[in-house]
Structure formats: structure tokens, C-alpha cells
Amino acid sequence: LPLPLSCNITMEAQSALVTLTVSAPILASDPLLALVASIAPPYQTKVTITKKGSDLSLSIGADSSASEITHRNAILRSLCGSGLHNALDTIGSSPLCFLGGHSATSFSGASPTSAIAMAGISSWMSVADSTRQGSADDASVLLGQLNEYLSGRSFLVPSVTPTVADFDLYLAIVGKISGEALETSVNGYNNTRRWLEQCGATLEELKIVAAKNAAYSKVPTAVVPKGLNPKPRPLPLFFYGEEDESVVAAAAAAAATSAATKAGGVKPGKAAAAPSSAGGGGGLTDEQKKAAAEKKAAKNAAKAAKKKDNPPKGGDATPAGDLNISALDIRVGKIIKAWEHETADKLYCEEIDIGEEKPRQIASGLRPFYKLEEMQNRDVLVLCNLKPMNLVGFPSHGMVLCASNADHTAVEFAVPPEGAKIGERVTFEGFDGEPEAQNKVAKKKIFQTLAPDLKTDENGMVNWKGAKSVTSAGQCKAVNGMANAQVA
């Protein structure tokens, strides 16, 4: 509902844990913020909506000792997590886990998996920011990249439901591409389509919850952009595995005919008759079952003989249990030039000397944490064996490693010791193997597997599973000594 321009609206909460101050124009343009504010526990959340301007802040704690957050993404993560004692990240007190259930277990190193998931949520929200500022063409390219990324995942980070990062990126995409253009762009991307449909359906459910809370929250109804129209899918056909191929084909044909008949595409009188043995209620005759069993036995015998004659090759596959930090190519680098990305307000673009013929170009989401002048001539650690990729149109090849706290509101460089040589490889005590090729790192998700154990100790020194990082000049560290932090 439109807000009156003559007054402010305040949702009072006698024992509020947080106070959200937001202007009506910002709230109207940010459906995710509006949904989260509507669903937040009303007796722990005070919401003040100003009539105009660009107000956006979150105060946490009592008035005398309150801390304030002004960055939109950090505000959302705090509301969904520690700011409200994880009320929106706990099944039972929330319709879903907005942070994938990782918020409580990511603190104090309780769960490295949750810590890396929280860092992932922050990173994906930065991608959503870049998508909002990019073009429709950029969003279309992202759909293809997501299709590959989601081939082995349900959502952006490990979770049984979409998280705030999924919703943020979904809304950024449908804000750029919608209707027939979205249908065309997602054509052939089955993984992306499945993800888009799930995010859209879950947002519709959250709108219902927000509407029920409207009497308490006083937050206007969020306007969620329209995404895909989910397509009906036929029910699956099940077999015992003993049927002849012709029986399976006949059952599939019968199911297709039935679907076409229901849709009005084929008249019942014109439908091709399916054999009574083809699935459904007819079943298989004893003769058909015997023939199918004999055929299956013959196939299995042939496969066993072929396997015996052609034992599997060793290849370059490395069992997940044998992976260690030596698979990553981490090198000492120096930022020789840094500048702000033209369209993405969270990204810096850098040229980094890592001892190669030419400097590496790398994009980093560090603008919320470092001023531009603080980026220049900075010694850094660079993860080098990552595949090149475009970040909002900028070709990036590698990643600058940083230490961060659990909710990614504090970030600082991981740096080599003074005197370390540009381009030298950072190794870890007891792990002296050669790094894997960048294609294998991407395909086997090696970095995602190893990253949860890459962190700083109580003194801010970089370790992997307790093994010290090693250079010719000593051990690497978080530049300001951030202790027990994730490094990624």
C-alpha cells in the first residue's frame, strides 16, 4: 500500500533487539528487504519508515551501547542471523532458514562448512549487486554460468531451502530480464530453470507470510517481480529393471499419448493403442518377464567380461579424501594498479604482479572494506589456479585471499611476510605436492573442498588444518591479525 507523505510510520517493540530505519522509496524498491522486515519477529524488531530520502540503517542492541550497520547487504544478513539471535535462520521460528541454518554454527569455528557457506552468501549477494547495476546481456550470460554451477547443487550455498543470497540474485536477474525474454534466455538451461522456479515459488509463499504479519509489522506489501511460468511436468514412470526395451518404449508412448489427450492435442478415438503389457494396470506376462530376465542376465555377463578385459585406467582422478592444500597454487603478489569497476560498486579491478610475464587482471569485492588508495602497491596472496571468468564484464583470472569474520562484515587482506619474493609459491608444512590444473580445480570443486580448513589461528597466522603457511621469509598472516577467521 502507498505510504502517506505527511508522517513517518514506526512499528514499536518494547524489547526490540534491533531497530531498522528505512525510507519509503528504498523500501518500495527493495522487495527482499521489505519481505525480511515483514517476517522478522515483531516484538524484537522496531521498524521506522521515513517518508522520503535515502535513510537505511540497522541499530543493534540497547540505545546506550547500540552498534549501527548502514550497508544494505550486511543489514539483511544481520536481520536473518545474529541480529535477531538467528530467529530467521531456525526452523520452527521462521518459515525457512534464510542463511541455510549456518548462522549459529559459523561462529568460533564451530563448523568450517557453515563458515564457508556464510562467506558464500556474502559473495553471491555481491554478485546480485553487480547484476542489478549491469545490463540485461550481462544477466543473460550469468544464467548460463549458473546452469553449470547448479549442476550439482540445489541452491547457491549448501541449504535445504533457498537462502537470502538465492532470493537476492533471483530478484536481480528478473529485474533485468522478464517475460518472453527470460524464457528465451533460460532455454536449454535446465538447472537454472529449476532454480528460478523454486526461488519464485518460495518468494510467493513468503509474501503470504508477510501479508499475515502486516497487522503487526506495518511494513507495506512487497512487490515481487514476475519470473518464469513453471511448466507442467509428466509424472515419472517406474519399472522393475527387468522389462524388455520394447516394453519401456511402449509405456513411454502410452504416457505421452495420455498427456496429449488430456491437453486436447489428440482425440481419444485417434490415440494409438498401447499394449496392455506396457506399464500401468496391464503388467507383464510370465513369458515377457522370463525373456526380460534372460536378456538382462546376458547384458550383465557381457559388461562383466568387458570390465575384466579392460580394467579402469588410473587417470588423474584424485579421491576426495586424498586432496590437500598442495592442490592450490597460492603465490605472493603485489597490486601494481587498482581502479574502481565502471558499473559494479562493490568491485575493484586490479593488475597484480605474481612473477609472470604479464600482470594478472583480477576483480575483488573489496570496495566496502578498503579505500582505493589502500589498494595500491599492496602485497597480497593470490590463488592462481582458478579458471578465468568475466565478473560484470571484467576478465578476472585468480582471487585475492582475505580473512573474514563469520558474517563477512569485517574483511582484511591475507598477506605474505616482509621480504617474501614476488611470485614465490606459498606452501604448508607437511604438504609439498604440485598444484592441480585450473580446469581440474573447477571441475572437481577442489577449492570449495579445501577452503573450509584454510583459516587464521588465534594469532592471526594463516594455516590449513593446523599446518603453517610457509614462504622464504616466514609465515603468512591476516594483515591486522584477525584471529580464528576464514581465509578465502
Side-chain angles (χ1 to χ4, degrees):
L1 296 175
L3 291 171
L5 298 180
S6 58
C7 63
N8 295 341
I9 294 178
T10 302
M11 181 188 77
E12 295 290 349
Q14 298 300 321
S15 58
L17 296 173
V18 300
T19 300
L20 174 66
T21 302
V22 58
S23 69
I26 287 181
L27 198 61
S29 64
D30 195 335
L32 182 55
L33 181 62
L35 278 174
V36 171
S38 299
I39 297 171
Y43 298 109
Q44 297 175 325
T45 312
K46 178 180 178 181
V47 180
T48 298
I49 305 176
T50 59
K51 61 183 178 180
K52 57 183 179 179
S54 57
D55 296 331
L56 179 60
S57 64
L58 183 72
S59 297
I60 304 174
D63 292 341
S64 60
S65 60
S67 59
E68 187 174 75
I69 302 173
T70 57
H71 187 269
R72 179 258 190 189
N73 291 354
I75 287 173
L76 279 169
R77 290 194 296 273
S78 184
L79 285 172
C80 294
S82 59
L84 293 173
H85 293 178
N86 306 312
L88 293 185
D89 198 36
T90 305
I91 293 295
S93 61
S94 175
L96 55 80
C97 292
F98 278 86
L99 297 177
H102 296 293
S103 180
T105 56
S106 66
F107 289 94
S108 301
S111 170
T113 299
S114 291
I116 200 72
M118 291 293 291
I121 287 173
S122 176
S123 297
W124 281 110
M125 293 180 77
S126 294
V127 173
D129 285 340
S130 299
T131 303
R132 274 187 286 271
Q133 296 166 18
S135 65
D137 289 340
D138 292 333
S140 182
V141 170
L142 178 61
L143 292 174
Q145 295 170 337
L146 281 173
N147 192 64
E148 181 179 356
Y149 179 80
L150 293 168
S151 61
R153 301 173 174 85
S154 296
F155 304 107
L156 298 179
V157 301
S159 176
V160 296
T161 64
T163 67
V164 65
D166 292 278
F167 297 137
D168 203 19
L169 186 58
Y170 169 86
L171 290 168
I173 290 171
V174 300
K176 291 292 181 182
I177 316 174
S178 60
E180 288 300 321
L182 181 58
E183 290 284 350
T184 301
S185 296
V186 84
N187 185 37
Y189 297 151
N190 293 334
N191 301 318
T192 305
R193 171 177 283 279
R194 176 254 307 161
W195 175 78
L196 288 169
E197 290 181 358
Q198 181 63 63
C199 290
T202 307
L203 283 171
E204 290 300 317
E205 294 175 0
L206 292 179
K207 284 173 59 179
I208 296 173
V209 177
K212 291 179 179 178
N213 291 352
Y216 303 99
S217 70
K218 307 299 182 184
V219 177
T221 303
V223 179
V224 177
K226 181 68 174 176
L228 293 172
N229 290 317
K231 295 182 178 180
R233 295 178 175 85
L235 292 175
L237 297 172
F238 295 95
F239 300 94
Y240 290 100
E242 300 175 349
E243 295 83 357
D244 186 87
E245 292 179 1
S246 62
V247 174
V248 176
T257 300
S258 175
T261 299
K262 291 179 181 179
V266 180
K267 295 182 179 180
K270 299 294 184 179
S276 60
S277 62
L284 297 174
T285 66
D286 291 340
E287 291 80 4
Q288 287 173 323
K289 289 181 179 179
K290 182 179 179 181
E294 290 175 351
K295 186 172 183 178
K296 183 179 180 182
K299 283 185 177 180
N300 290 340
K303 286 182 180 178
K306 184 176 181 181
K307 186 175 182 180
K308 183 177 180 180
D309 294 337
N310 299 283
K313 299 179 180 179
D316 62 351
T318 303
D322 295 338
L323 280 176
N324 62 64
I325 192 64
S326 67
L328 301 182
D329 187 11
I330 301 173
R331 297 189 178 273
V332 175
K334 179 183 282 291
I335 300 175
I336 57 177
K337 181 181 179 182
W339 64 97
E340 296 176 347
H341 193 286
E342 292 183 355
T343 57
D345 65 358
K346 302 298 184 297
L347 293 181
Y348 281 125
C349 302
E350 304 118 19
E351 288 186 357
I352 303 180
D353 182 3
I354 59 170
E356 296 177 335
E357 183 178 351
K358 295 180 179 179
R360 287 274 187 111
Q361 286 194 328
I362 296 177
S364 306
L366 295 173
R367 283 173 66 178
F369 308 103
Y370 283 97
K371 297 177 181 178
L372 181 58
E373 56 268 25
E374 296 175 313
M375 297 289 294
Q376 311 295 342
N377 298 312
R378 169 82 68 168
D379 289 337
V380 292
L381 301 183
V382 179
L383 178 57
C384 297
N385 56 340
L386 297 178
K387 290 181 67 175
M389 63 181 298
N390 281 330
L391 291 178
V392 199
F394 180 79
S396 180
H397 190 190
M399 181 170 68
V400 175
L401 295 179
C402 293
S404 66
N405 62 354
D407 58 2
H408 211 66
T409 55
V411 173
E412 59 186 64
F413 285 109
V415 298
E418 186 176 353
K421 299 176 182 178
I422 299 299
E424 75 168 287
R425 188 179 176 209
V426 178
T427 59
F428 290 78
E429 290 183 344
F431 301 99
D432 300 322
E434 291 300 313
E436 299 286 359
Q438 61 186 24
N439 287 339
K440 185 176 178 181
V441 171
K443 183 177 181 180
K444 300 295 184 181
K445 300 180 176 64
I446 291 177
F447 175 67
Q448 291 87 334
T449 301
L450 301 175
D453 294 308
L454 186 61
K455 54 182 64 176
T456 60
D457 61 15
E458 64 275 11
N459 298 314
M461 309 305 286
V462 177
N463 296 329
W464 185 78
K465 287 189 174 181
K468 295 180 180 179
S469 54
V470 178
T471 71
S472 61
Q475 190 174 1
C476 303
K477 65 177 183 178
V479 67
N480 294 320
M482 184 184 291
N484 302 315
Q486 192 69 49
V487 177

